[in-house]
Amino acid sequence: MIEALGDRIWGADEFHVRRAELGGAWLQRELGIDQTLAVSDADLLRCVQAATILALSGIPERQGAAYGIAACAAGLDREDLPGLAGVLRIVLTRLGNFPALASSPHVETFRRLPLLSALAEEVRRDGNRIDMGDVPVDLTDFQRDLWRDLSDGANVSISAPTSAGKSFVLQSYLRSLARDGKLSVACYIVPSRALIAQVTEAVSKWRRTDDLQDFQIVNVPLSAETRLPKRAIYVLTQERLQAIMGAHPEFHADVVISDEAQSIEDGSRGVLLQDVIDRLIAKRPGAQFIFAGPNIRDPGIFGRIFDLSEMKPVSTRSPAVLQNLIVVKTRSPLQKLVVERMAGGGRLPLGHVEIDGPLPSIRERLVRVAERFGQSKPSIVYANGPSDAEQVALGLREVSAADASEDPRILELITLVKAAVHEHYDLVKCLEKRVGFHYGRIPAIVRRGVEAAFADGGITYLVTTSTLIQGVNFPAANLFVCKPRKGQAGPLGTAEFWNLAGRAGRLGREFQGNVFLIDYDDWETKPADEGNEVDVQSALRRTLSGSFEDVVNCALEPAPKRETAGVVDVEATFSRLLSDLGSGQLGRTLDKCGVGRADQVRLVEALEQARMRITIPPAVLAKSPTVSPLRQQRLAGYFEAEIKGGGFRRLEELLPRHPRDEDAWMHLSEVFRVCHEELMGMDVPRLHLRMAAIAVKWMRGEQLPEIIEENRRRDKDKSLSAAIRGTLKDIEEEIRFKYFRLTLCYLAILEHVLVATGHTDYVKSLPPLPAFLEVGASDPTMISFVGLGISRFVASTLTDRTLNKRMDQAQALVWLRDQDLEAMLGTGLMLADVHRALANAPAA
């Protein structure tokens, strides 16, 4: 009967007309546009009554309509309408969206439901309730289903909208395992350092609350000399995980979570992600493997990629928060912003807003549209790159009437930014007007401070780049987008767009968020027209299907090409296939990737020829899985020839020195030169000298302002803003990523050649350069501080205050607990950074 009634409602044209008018009326009110769409009390009640029926449907589109009606009705300030709050409560309860009740005080506090409705709510709520740290938590239906499958110990693949609360459930699940003594080691894989910081912070809070002192949180590479903790949660990118697995072949995990698992598509990084997970499966086949991503059409794809036959897909298309797509046209000759709502495959005109003049640039459009529609609620503005983000933020600063000159939280953040980056960094003057910007290259402590200020309302506008797509979680009420691109990689794809759009609206704070598509008709692509379900394909399969001949040629070429981003992606696939050939898994891999028999024969022949040219053991090659084995072989041949021809003097020139050594720069520049020529096949004069100079300062723990000023002295023609961005790029993308990868390979091959040529004694002298480059420190004391969770900036300050530069983590903790930290660091964010680490550290 209910289904038939739902069919009648859905089939009635008048219902859809009234529903569209309701949504339009709410948006006009929300956006401050002249009210031309009026909704009578009678029409409102009819829509809400229809929503109570559609909420019982199992069809996501109808559930979404019911939720949208409830969300708009709650926002029209009709609290005096008899029974409205109660009916809305019934709709949300039937949808199983209990967290959304908190979005409206009138709905959340309504207690006069009819007896049967109240009983039905309690029964439904009880089924969606879990105890977390002795605190009851009410979940959505999707979260409840996910929790049950996870608790059964199943391998799970998850697909849901960005705002569905996936990460909350995953982290709560780890918490429950740790509390119940059912977990020894968990590995939480994320695609970016920014997300490492966010997940680490969330895990640290419940670890502290539950007093799980025997659990460590590891989020940096651990050298071979560092003992692996017996009980730990590792929060790592695939690169950091690879480094740990290379240094500790025995590493394994009981639970493995790949969050933002759609990143398995991302070229060489996707191949590496697949490789480390495959190795974890081989080490512990009985471990629990969990994959999570947004809006994946077929979440079962991960079971097929990893040969996990017992894989339970958990998905939802029903929104936990509604996103309104609002088209804003800025190019009217009448100097008006024309506003339309995208819905149901069409557009509903909402009205127009006068503007002062034309808006010829993307920057001006983003600034003026965000100024007009985003002032009253927290708003994110998407920029295509770091330079664009800074310029848009400076534009918003110009038009902002806000004043943070007396806000102690913002003043503390400004003080921190000046010390951690530069006193004239553009972020400083933006913060004075409650405007911030955020991109992946910004130091972690500053990024965290900006995120916290935005979350607590200190920042009104946050301009951000594609780091937002990689899962960093600071949703807002509004999102402003104009011709979005992912840096230099081209327009945002459909999956990336919907992942971005999902940041508008915060579960438990708003029923719905607004996504402003500025001049959408002029975008290169139309991702909002394509629906939010996306297909996922592993980078390995994508490369074999799209660049098969390149893979074959990679194996047959007498000498590798100059290494570029595209070449790295192809060679990562070649490396993986050559490894599978050696382990007997190649046929299985090629079958899974859909390679035909004839192509398999050609590929195997090419790989066999490549294997005949390689003498390096597979275990050594595996330490650098994204570097072509042929490049590694060339490097090994170079080392052998240089050592043989140049003797001990040349051998010692090839050995890197500890960053504190007075000859560190000279030796590191030689390491980088060899990497450029032998691994990358490139010769850029003096580049190795410049990058070695930056890397040595970075590894010695010197602060960013000093490194920035040094770079400015080297290139006086650059503006300060460009020098800051350039230095941050050099460190985050070059030093901590590219040279981390190159030196990892350099040391692995050098160690192999030293042993093979009878120079084993030199192996012990090789410093762990990759770890130093990644952490930005080389003194054991500073590394210990960073390992405890203290930011590099504060860790450097603390290290300067102690004479003992060789403390391990236990000694560093004792030292910290014995200091007058307030006198040493002052108040504010630096002190909070240390207190957070101390609260999360093992008990004394």
Side-chain angles (χ1 to χ4, degrees):
M1 179 178 174
I2 290 293
E3 290 182 4
L5 187 54
D7 290 341
R8 284 180 55 196
I9 292 171
W10 198 255
D13 291 339
E14 185 180 358
F15 164 73
H16 294 285
V17 170
R18 296 290 174 259
R19 171 190 161 205
E21 289 176 346
L22 172 61
W26 180 84
L27 274 173
Q28 286 182 332
R29 185 178 185 279
E30 172 78 358
L31 303 181
I33 297 174
D34 291 343
Q35 293 283 146
T36 59
L37 297 170
V39 179
S40 68
D41 289 351
D43 285 341
L44 177 62
L45 288 175
R46 290 178 66 194
C47 283
V48 172
Q49 289 167 351
T52 64
I53 304 301
L54 296 177
L56 295 172
S57 171
I59 301 173
E61 187 179 11
R62 297 184 183 184
Q63 292 177 337
Y67 181 85
I69 289 170
C72 292
L76 287 178
D77 286 347
R78 303 280 183 90
E79 291 86 6
D80 57 341
L81 199 60
L84 178 61
V87 178
L88 295 179
R89 189 177 184 103
I90 290 172
V91 172
L92 295 174
T93 297
R94 289 181 173 181
L95 289 170
N97 194 345
F98 293 99
L101 293 173
S103 302
S104 168
H106 300 287
V107 175
E108 185 180 31
T109 58
F110 188 85
R111 293 290 183 269
R112 300 190 305 277
L113 288 175
L115 178 60
L116 290 179
S117 297
L119 289 174
E121 176 181 321
E122 284 308 305
V123 170
R124 189 74 187 275
R125 184 189 296 274
D126 188 61
N128 283 36
R129 177 169 289 170
I130 62 172
D131 288 327
M132 189 50 57
D134 298 324
V135 175
V137 177
D138 294 335
L139 305 177
T140 66
D141 281 0
F142 158 71
Q143 291 175 317
R144 175 204 62 203
D145 294 342
L146 174 57
W147 178 266
R148 289 174 180 173
D149 286 336
L150 291 172
S151 300
D152 287 342
N155 295 325
V156 176
S157 56
I158 307 161
S159 170
T162 300
S163 54
K166 302 182 293 292
S167 296
F168 171 77
V169 176
L170 293 175
Q171 293 163 22
S172 297
Y173 175 60
L174 288 183
R175 180 181 185 182
S176 70
L177 291 178
R179 289 187 49 175
D180 295 343
K182 298 177 180 178
L183 181 68
S184 293
V185 176
C187 188
Y188 201 117
I189 309 171
V190 295
S192 68
R193 296 190 194 98
L195 202 48
I196 283 179
Q198 198 161 87
V199 174
T200 298
E201 178 70 12
V203 172
S204 297
K205 285 181 179 178
W206 57 254
R207 178 179 171 274
R208 179 171 64 248
T209 300
D210 294 348
D211 195 27
L212 297 170
Q213 298 292 341
D214 57 336
F215 261 97
Q216 291 190 37
I217 301 172
V218 179
N219 57 18
V220 296
L222 301 179
S223 66
E225 293 74 29
T226 304
R227 181 178 298 178
L228 295 177
K230 292 183 178 179
R231 293 169 65 80
I233 295 176
Y234 292 78
V235 185
L236 305 162
T237 60
Q238 54 264 49
E239 288 82 12
R240 293 187 184 187
L241 176 56
Q242 158 61 25
I244 287 179
M245 295 176 76
H248 297 274
E250 74 279 13
F251 177 84
H252 64 271
D254 307 313
V255 177
V256 178
I257 297 173
S258 178
D259 204 356
E260 302 296 324
Q262 74 279 4
S263 59
I264 200 167
E265 294 189 305
D266 295 344
S268 61
R269 297 197 73 216
V271 175
L272 180 58
L273 176 60
Q274 184 171 347
D275 187 71
V276 294
I277 293 176
D278 276 334
R279 289 162 62 189
L280 288 172
I281 292 172
K283 286 179 177 294
R284 185 64 69 89
Q288 186 177 24
F289 290 87
I290 303 162
F291 303 89
N295 302 315
I296 296 170
R297 192 186 314 277
D298 177 17
I301 184 65
F302 297 105
R304 297 192 293 277
I305 290 173
F306 293 104
D307 281 337
L308 294 169
S309 56
E310 299 298 322
M311 174 72 72
K312 292 198 73 170
V314 182
S315 63
T316 182
R317 298 292 175 263
S318 299
V321 177
L322 189 67
Q323 276 88 37
N324 297 303
L325 301 181
I326 303 166
V327 175
V328 181
K329 299 178 181 180
T330 71
R331 303 181 65 186
S332 167
L334 300 178
Q335 295 189 2
K336 296 178 179 179
L337 298 178
V338 179
V339 186
E340 301 170 339
R341 181 191 184 195
M342 292 181 68
R347 297 189 188 179
L348 175 69
L350 294 177
H352 64 268
V353 176
E354 304 288 340
I355 53 176
D356 294 336
L359 304 176
S361 69
I362 290 177
R363 177 190 181 223
E364 290 170 284
R365 296 171 195 177
L366 284 169
V367 168
R368 290 301 181 181
V369 174
E371 175 198 16
R372 173 59 181 80
F373 296 117
Q375 290 187 33
S376 61
K377 292 183 178 180
S379 297
I380 291 174
V381 182
Y382 182 82
N384 292 337
S387 177
D388 294 330
E390 293 179 12
Q391 290 303 310
V392 171
L394 288 169
L396 285 166
R397 173 188 178 274
E398 284 185 35
V399 301
S400 174
D403 181 9
S405 61
E406 296 183 4
D407 187 331
R409 302 166 302 171
I410 297 298
L411 294 178
E412 283 182 5
L413 181 54
I414 288 173
T415 300
L416 175 69
V417 171
K418 289 180 176 180
V421 183
H422 198 280
E423 62 178 343
H424 298 303
Y425 192 28
D426 285 336
L427 183 58
V428 170
K429 47 190 175 185
C430 289
L431 289 172
E432 293 169 350
K433 290 289 190 175
R434 299 195 185 280
V435 177
F437 55 78
H438 181 291
Y439 47 82
R441 302 169 189 168
I442 295 175
I445 189 171
V446 174
R447 239 181 15 238
R448 191 161 54 225
V450 169
E451 291 167 7
F454 184 66
D456 67 19
I459 291 175
T460 303
Y461 292 106
L462 182 61
V463 188
T464 184
T465 63
S466 57
T467 51
L468 193 61
I469 301 171
Q470 295 175 325
V472 178
N473 183 30
F474 37 85
N478 302 308
L479 171 69
F480 297 88
V481 191
C482 183
K483 297 185 179 180
R485 300 175 66 85
K486 191 175 181 182
Q488 301 299 316
L492 289 189
T494 301
E496 293 164 333
F497 169 79
W498 287 109
N499 199 355
L500 177 65
R503 307 298 168 184
R506 302 164 293 179
L507 182 60
R509 296 193 187 184
E510 290 106 11
F511 286 114
Q512 48 195 328
N514 300 318
V515 183
F516 294 85
L517 311 178
I518 302 173
D519 292 322
Y520 180 72
D521 295 329
D522 297 333
W523 290 15
E524 294 178 60
T525 59
K526 301 293 187 291
D529 294 349
E530 298 180 23
N532 63 359
E533 288 189 326
V534 297
D535 294 311
V536 170
Q537 187 179 59
S538 72
L540 196 63
R541 182 177 185 126
R542 186 185 299 277
T543 302
L544 282 170
S545 62
S547 305
F548 180 81
E549 293 300 329
D550 291 336
V551 177
V552 172
N553 292 335
C554 178
L556 295 176
E557 286 169 346
K561 300 176 182 177
R562 174 170 175 166
E563 189 179 86
T564 63
V567 169
V568 170
D569 291 347
V570 170
E571 290 187 350
T573 296
F574 162 62
S575 300
R576 169 59 191 262
L577 298 178
L578 194 65
S579 174
D580 286 348
L581 176 67
S583 64
Q585 296 294 314
L586 181 60
R588 192 175 185 180
T589 297
L590 296 179
D591 286 342
K592 285 196 299 179
C593 291
V595 179
R597 292 302 172 189
D599 283 340
Q600 287 196 25
V601 170
R602 287 185 59 211
L603 188 52
V604 169
E605 289 176 353
L607 291 170
E608 290 285 7
Q609 290 187 45
R611 184 162 66 167
M612 292 175 61
R613 298 154 56 193
I614 297 169
T615 61
I616 301 173
V620 177
L621 296 174
K623 293 181 179 180
S624 306
T626 62
V627 178
S628 165
L630 295 175
R631 294 184 190 274
Q632 297 191 49
Q633 186 65 49
R634 182 168 70 174
L635 180 60
Y638 174 83
F639 284 148
E640 291 167 0
E642 292 292 294
I643 293 171
K644 183 178 180 180
F648 285 102
R649 181 173 180 179
R650 180 55 180 152
L651 187 154
E652 292 191 355
E653 289 174 351
L654 294 169
L655 298 174
R657 300 292 179 88
H658 190 281
R660 290 289 180 190
D661 190 289
E662 62 181 12
D663 293 326
W665 172 77
M666 180 178 66
H667 282 259
L668 188 62
S669 63
E670 179 63 4
V671 170
F672 285 2
R673 185 194 67 78
V674 172
C675 287
H676 289 171
E677 295 182 5
E678 302 303 321
L679 288 179
M680 299 186 69
M682 69 180 225
D683 181 15
V684 180
R686 303 188 64 80
L687 177 62
H688 59 290
L689 302 176
R690 187 176 78 84
M691 296 311 300
I694 297 172
V696 168
K697 288 179 176 291
W698 174 252
M699 291 189 290
R700 286 176 176 172
E702 294 186 24
Q703 298 286 23
L704 269 175
E706 302 167 27
I707 301 175
I708 290 167
E709 286 301 320
E710 176 66 23
N711 276 357
R712 288 186 73 194
R713 285 192 289 271
R714 291 174 182 271
D715 190 352
K716 296 180 180 179
D717 293 334
K718 275 189 176 180
S719 68
L720 175 60
S721 295
I724 292 174
R725 284 194 306 274
T727 303
L728 294 177
K729 180 179 185 295
D730 285 341
I731 289 172
E732 291 300 319
E733 296 184 14
E734 302 293 314
I735 300 298
R736 300 184 74 185
F737 185 77
K738 183 170 78 177
Y739 288 98
F740 171 89
R741 170 178 171 267
L742 293 173
T743 56
L744 198 65
C745 181
Y746 183 99
L747 290 175
I749 299 302
L750 181 58
E751 179 179 341
H752 164 69
V753 172
L754 289 174
V755 172
T757 57
H759 298 91
T760 307
D761 290 345
Y762 285 95
V763 171
K764 295 179 181 179
S765 71
L766 297 177
L769 285 183
F772 293 167
L773 292 170
E774 169 64 25
V775 174
S778 54
D779 291 325
T781 294
M782 186 171 170
I783 293 172
S784 293
F785 287 146
V786 173
L788 289 169
I790 297 172
S791 69
R792 178 187 181 274
F793 167 68
V794 176
S796 177
T797 303
L798 293 170
T799 304
D800 287 343
R801 301 297 182 92
T802 176
L803 290 175
N804 185 357
K805 310 297 185 186
R806 303 199 59 80
M807 289 189 281
D808 61 20
Q809 283 195 18
Q811 293 168 322
L813 266 176
V814 172
W815 184 86
L816 283 170
R817 287 169 173 154
D818 192 44
Q819 304 306 307
D820 183 349
L821 294 172
E822 188 165 339
M824 184 180 295
L825 299 174
T827 58
L829 295 172
M830 290 177 67
L831 188 61
D833 191 54
V834 179
H835 283 320
R836 179 170 49 245
L838 288 175
N840 296 332

